[in-house]
Amino acid sequence: MEPEGVRHRTVEVARGVRMHVAETGPEDGPAVLLVHGFPDLWYGWRHQMAALAARGFRAVAPDLRGYGDSDVPSAADCYSTFHLVGDLVALIADLGQPQVFVAGHDWGANVAWQLCLLRPDLVRALVNLSLVYNPRRSEGTPLQAIRAFCGEDHYMCRFQDPGVAEAEFALYDQRHKFKAILGMRNSAPIILSKGKTFFDSLDSDGTLPAWLSEEDISYYADKFEKTGFTGGLNFYRCMDLNWELSAPWTGAPIKVATKFIIGDLDALYNAPGVKDYIHKGGFKANVPNLEDVVILEGVGHFLNQEKPDEVSEHICEFFSKF
């Protein structure tokens, strides 16, 4: 359940787009912007919000556009990283602080990387979970790279056609979907073999993980019953559009002070080439102020919920240095 003292409000972040924001902690405390991934909500950061507030930070967790109680634009191309970064820039302006701390997970980590690339002046320090930073390369699009490494049946490729993934998701009970996704432990890439849906390809049988409650699952189920999954899926459908629009930043490094945390059972850690990239200097070359990399043993993708105390301590300790 959500921590005590959470305040809810909406902020107009773009013309016709209002963002739901949950926050806790002193309003005059240094702000920490917590950015969720897919398929998640502000609620995924509930443990970190309580820990940050206890340390005197103002923890601010939005529902990104397309999610939860935020607006859901209808056009797929309204979900580029430039739109998402623009929403965060508007939210930061609303907070009234010249700089904020930022933590991101999954797609939220990608948005946080891009915020640091496009507006480093707004970010005091960064903690990202699960998704490494890879600068834009000119030789091919993200989807071309995924197809080359994992084939056409990688889940990100299968998410591309509007309506197809939505129809597959609709086959399953809402509560089962979140038990299966949040509880997945298979570290291999998610490949959807012919005739198999995304949920058929997960290793989770829908048993409630020990670190979640039925109330947690109900919160997710109720919110996604309202919005559906199209908004979140549109993030994936803009991957090549993001590549096209980001040509001016080809090869650009991230210069913000950074800490990175990932679970050793996370499929993103076990994707082709990622371990070597993290541990043999490539990651540090592209994020020169990368101060620490933490590998949590026996932990899957949703590490901020699976190991809330450890992740909260890492975040609080790192931001307290600044």
Side-chain angles (χ1 to χ4, degrees):
M1 303 298 288
E2 68 179 55
E4 292 184 9
V6 173
R7 306 179 294 273
H8 295 272
R9 61 193 182 94
T10 58
V11 177
E12 186 171 3
V13 291
R15 186 170 61 181
V17 179
R18 296 188 63 82
M19 173 181 279
H20 165 250
V21 180
E23 61 179 86
T24 190
E27 293 190 14
D28 59 351
V32 179
L33 193 58
L34 300 161
V35 193
H36 69 79
F38 175 88
D40 211 338
L41 301 163
W42 76 269
Y43 189 78
W45 292 106
R46 61 197 178 281
H47 304 293
Q48 288 70 44
M49 292 179 72
L52 286 161
R55 302 281 188 98
F57 291 97
R58 180 184 182 185
V60 181
D63 285 331
L64 296 178
R65 63 168 63 195
Y67 284 92
D69 293 319
S70 291
D71 286 343
V72 184
S74 58
D77 60 3
C78 288
Y79 293 85
S80 76
T81 53
F82 290 89
H83 289 90
L84 303 172
V85 169
D87 292 347
L88 296 188
V89 170
L91 176 57
I92 292 168
D94 180 81
L95 296 176
Q97 298 188 16
Q99 286 189 314
V100 298
F101 296 104
V102 180
H105 174 243
D106 186 81
W107 258 106
N110 182 47
V111 178
W113 289 125
Q114 298 304 311
L115 174 64
C116 292
L117 181 66
L118 301 175
R119 292 298 307 270
D121 57 304
L122 297 179
V123 183
R124 190 178 301 185
L126 171 70
V127 176
N128 260 350
L129 314 182
S130 294
L131 186 68
V132 297
Y133 172 69
N134 279 292
R136 183 193 188 275
R137 304 298 183 191
S138 59
E139 55 266 25
T141 73
L143 287 173
Q144 287 172 339
I146 291 170
R147 290 186 178 105
F149 281 109
C150 299
E152 189 67 42
D153 292 327
H154 188 273
Y155 77 98
M156 292 189 189
C157 299
R158 292 276 293 272
F159 279 179
Q160 295 303 310
D161 293 332
V164 174
E166 288 91 333
E168 291 184 355
F169 277 45
L171 297 173
Y172 298 86
D173 174 77
Q174 202 76 272
R175 296 173 64 84
H176 171 83
K177 284 191 281 244
F178 284 99
K179 290 178 181 179
I181 292 174
L182 296 172
M184 62 184 179
R185 311 293 293 172
N186 189 354
S187 59
I190 301 174
I191 305 299
L192 314 187
S193 55
K194 299 301 182 184
K196 298 291 186 180
T197 71
F198 177 79
F199 293 94
D200 292 334
S201 304
L202 300 180
D203 64 326
S204 172
D205 63 0
T207 300
L208 182 70
W211 40 273
L212 288 171
S213 70
E214 291 288 352
E215 290 79 7
D216 296 329
I217 295 298
S218 293
Y219 189 91
Y220 281 105
D222 290 347
K223 295 301 181 183
F224 279 85
E225 187 67 35
K226 181 184 75 169
T227 63
F229 290 84
T230 297
L233 291 166
N234 282 340
F235 287 31
Y236 294 92
R237 293 165 185 161
C238 285
M239 290 171 63
D240 282 359
L241 175 61
N242 296 334
W243 180 84
E244 292 176 12
L245 296 175
S246 60
W249 294 273
T250 297
I254 298 293
K255 297 181 179 179
V256 172
T258 299
K259 184 170 191 169
F260 181 74
I261 313 171
I262 195 167
D264 68 346
L265 299 181
D266 193 326
L268 295 179
Y269 182 58
N270 293 280
V274 170
K275 289 181 182 178
D276 283 349
Y277 178 69
I278 290 174
H279 299 295
K280 294 185 177 180
F283 193 19
K284 175 70 171 177
N286 291 320
V287 187
N289 292 314
L290 178 66
E291 296 192 11
D292 195 14
V293 172
V294 177
I295 312 298
L296 297 180
E297 295 184 3
V299 179
H301 182 63
F302 292 92
L303 65 170
N304 51 329
Q305 299 190 63
E306 183 176 352
K307 293 293 181 181
D309 294 341
E310 291 92 327
V311 171
S312 295
E313 183 58 31
H314 281 298
I315 291 173
C316 292
E317 177 272 334
F318 187 67
F319 289 160
S320 294
K321 292 167 53 177
F322 300 89

